[in-house]
Amino acid sequence: MRIRIVDAFADRPFAGNPAGVLLLDAFPDDAWLQNVALEVNHAETAFAHPLPAGGEADWALRWFTPATEVALCGHATLATAHVLRSTGAHEGPVRFATRSGVLIATPEEDGSVTLDFPTAPLTPVDMPEGLVKALGAEPRAAYDTGPQVGDLLVELAAEEEIHALRPDLKGLCEHSERGIIATARAADPAGGYDYVSRCFFPDVGIDEDPVTGSAHTALAPYWSERLGRTDLTGLQASARSGRVRTRQHGERTLLSGRAVTVIDGELLV
């Protein structure tokens, strides 16, 4: 079967977040899916198969890290929609049946894809004991992002603090279900982005995720409220880096970005 590696939330190869994508006739057993994801060894590998016509969704979609299945993944959904469009496997908007409900990916005229995702609920929480030491910085505030995202979102005082983070990854494992989203307002309003973030997910086998679509379902409402605008751009400041355009619509968050296929090969097992 064909296997593709796609750089998502990127307009050029070797940027953004790489994801494996496999289009199947049906889902094999979970152990096989997990083994393939471990072999691919990117943050997520997406597995999709077509559904019968006339239902609420067009394709079934699941996502696996090298260590576990996850409930929501933005960049691998974008990568899958890109593969469906670029190969002609699906035309127009595609509805994915997932563990987080039906997610819609819409191709845009400029070549980007817009994802329609559920907005993460943000609940203020007390700063967990030991987080400051593990993160290596003192956040202004902390928020739980709900069960679908499963992260702790923390705001730092300045963008330079985000870039300077060198956390104790083992120490971070104690403070959330999936990981930590660290964010700050952009230092330069003319820099082309409104806020900056980095995401650390050692609990699911990802020390630092290059660009995290699902995290932006929490970042978008957080910064939209503070900046007074529904349309924003976030920069995820990992080594590969990537930008996510976001639009806040109450219980739904729209995430937009591009993707590039960098490997198209054959899986032999």
Side-chain angles (χ1 to χ4, degrees), residues 95-182:
R95 301 166 299 166
F96 292 114
T98 78
R99 287 174 58 182
S100 293
V102 175
L103 308 177
I104 301 174
T106 302
E108 306 292 352
E109 292 185 0
D110 65 359
S112 65
V113 174
T114 297
L115 307 176
D116 184 336
F117 272 28
T119 298
L122 296 173
T123 305
V125 295
D126 293 335
M127 199 67 61
E129 184 178 353
L131 177 63
V132 172
K133 181 179 179 181
L135 188 62
E138 187 164 357
R140 288 177 163 181
Y143 297 81
D144 179 82
T145 60
Q148 286 184 320
V149 175
D151 295 333
L152 183 71
L153 185 151
V154 297
E155 182 188 353
L156 302 187
E159 178 177 343
E160 53 264 32
E161 291 187 58
I162 299 292
H163 293 284
L165 288 175
R166 301 294 184 272
D168 171 7
L169 295 169
K170 184 177 180 180
L172 290 184
C173 289
E174 304 175 8
H175 301 300
S176 70
E177 181 180 343
R178 183 176 73 164
I180 304 295
I181 306 168

Side-chain angles (χ1 to χ4, degrees), residues 43-122:
E44 267 89 12
T45 298
F47 302 91
H49 71 75
L51 295 171
E56 66 173 3
D58 307 301
W59 288 72
L61 178 62
R62 296 171 71 180
W63 315 275
F64 286 76
T65 76
T68 189
E69 185 174 8
V70 295
L72 186 65
C73 180
H75 85 278
T77 304
L78 174 57
T80 305
H82 167 78
V83 168
L84 291 174
R85 180 172 65 170
S86 63
T87 62
H90 189 92
E91 299 292 336
V94 55
R95 301 166 299 166
F96 292 114
T98 78
R99 287 174 58 182
S100 293
V102 175
L103 308 177
I104 301 174
T106 302
E108 306 292 352
E109 292 185 0
D110 65 359
S112 65
V113 174
T114 297
L115 307 176
D116 184 336
F117 272 28
T119 298
L122 296 173

Side-chain angles (χ1 to χ4, degrees), residues 1-8 17-24 32 36-37 39-48 59 75-90 259-268:
M1 66 194 72
R2 298 285 285 278
I3 182 168
R4 297 167 176 89
I5 305 299
V6 177
D7 289 344
N17 200 351
V21 178
L22 288 93
L23 304 183
L24 309 168
W32 186 89
V36 172
E39 189 77 10
V40 172
N41 202 34
H42 285 315
E44 267 89 12
T45 298
F47 302 91
W59 288 72
H75 85 278
T77 304
L78 174 57
T80 305
H82 167 78
V83 168
L84 291 174
R85 180 172 65 170
S86 63
T87 62
H90 189 92
V260 180
T261 301
V262 294
I263 296 175
D264 186 345
E266 185 177 1
L267 185 67
L268 301 177

Side-chain angles (χ1 to χ4, degrees), residues 239-262:
R240 292 175 63 102
S241 188
R243 299 191 184 197
V244 182
R245 300 193 308 273
T246 62
R247 176 173 294 177
Q248 187 58 37
H249 279 297
E251 294 184 354
R252 308 298 295 183
T253 296
L254 304 183
L255 314 171
S256 297
R258 295 175 178 267
V260 180
T261 301
V262 294

